[in-house]
């Protein structure tokens, strides 16, 4: 038995030592927002946060996550309100098929919280671990810039 704190809720579950965090989230905890893309750490579809840092859930063993706070795409919305990055992705049409979108959003929010300079070159570099087969990259960059600009202005769309 292990106890995982996911999106602020502690959940105990029986698990084998070899089970990835991705499989624990999707198959054991029914949190299917995090996607299984390549299952080799190359695409970023499974990006979640562990203690507010980006991790690839497919390469992280669930048993190593005890006493850590895991945040998934389901944990971004607050009180039924979408996170500003989720709203910006919708407004900027920053997805097509949507498969990579949860990982893209988790990385995009982390990118802003990490304090990197927000320009297209830095966005490309720091988001390079998240692949989009539909090539929505210009729209993804626009969504990130939109949220960044709201943060700078201190408006209602500023991330929490």
């Amino acid at each position: 038995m292990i106890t995982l704190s996911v999106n602020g809720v502690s959940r105990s579950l029986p698990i084998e030592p070899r089970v990835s965090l991705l499989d624990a989230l999707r198959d054991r905890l029914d949190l299917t927002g995090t996607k299984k893309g390549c299952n080799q750490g190359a695409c970023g579809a499974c990006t979640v946060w562990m203690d507010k840092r980006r991790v690839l859930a497919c390469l992280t063993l669930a048993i190593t996550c005890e006493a850590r706070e895991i945040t998934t795409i389901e944990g971004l919305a607050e009180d039924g309100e979408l996170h500003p990055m989720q709203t910006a992705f919708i407004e900027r049409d920053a997805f097509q098929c949507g498969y990579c979108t949860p990982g893209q959003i988790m990385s995009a929010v982390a990118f802003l919280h990490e304090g990197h300079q927000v320009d297209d070159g830095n966005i490309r570099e720091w988001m390079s671990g998240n692949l989009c087969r539909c090539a929505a990259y210009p729209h993804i960059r626009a969504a990130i810039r939109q949220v960044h600009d709201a943060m700078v202005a201190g408006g209602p769309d500023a991330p929490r």
Side-chain angles (χ1 to χ4, degrees):
M1 288 293 285
I2 66 168
T3 301
L4 295 178
S5 178
V6 182
N7 301 327
V9 177
S10 290
R11 309 256 306 263
S12 295
L13 60 151
I15 205 156
E16 294 180 28
R18 65 182 177 180
V19 173
S20 71
L21 176 59
L22 176 61
D23 288 338
L25 292 170
R26 291 183 57 80
D27 301 338
R28 309 303 197 311
L29 299 177
D30 294 321
L31 294 170
T32 57
T34 304
K35 303 301 181 204
K36 184 180 279 194
C38 66
N39 211 30
Q40 298 176 349
C43 73
C46 67
T47 303
V48 297
W49 301 338
M50 182 170 20
D51 297 334
K52 298 188 182 199
R53 294 182 56 125
R54 300 184 244 189
V55 297
L56 298 172
C58 71
L59 297 181
T60 305
L61 293 175
I63 61 170
T64 67
C65 298
E66 281 196 291
R68 312 296 284 279
E69 179 58 38
I70 305 301
T71 306
T72 68
I73 191 72
E74 292 93 346
L76 281 186
E78 255 181 40
D79 300 324
E81 296 291 322
L82 292 178
H83 185 279
M85 190 65 73
Q86 292 170 307
T87 301
F89 265 62
I90 293 167
E91 290 172 357
R92 296 296 182 156
D93 197 24
F95 54 91
Q96 287 183 26
C97 79
Y99 199 81
C100 72
T101 303
Q104 295 278 359
I105 290 172
M106 296 302 289
S107 277
V109 174
F111 167 79
L112 292 178
H113 284 290
E114 291 163 2
H116 304 292
Q117 183 178 349
V118 179
D119 59 45
D120 282 354
N122 273 338
I123 295 171
R124 272 190 210 95
E125 176 70 25
W126 290 99
M127 294 291 293
S128 65
N130 293 82
L131 303 180
C132 174
R133 291 183 178 183
C134 301
Y137 298 116
H139 302 280
I140 292 167
R141 288 191 300 273
I144 293 169
R145 286 192 308 270
Q146 175 179 319
V147 174
H148 172 264
D149 293 348
M151 284 173 58
V152 170
D157 292 334
R160 312 178 265 288

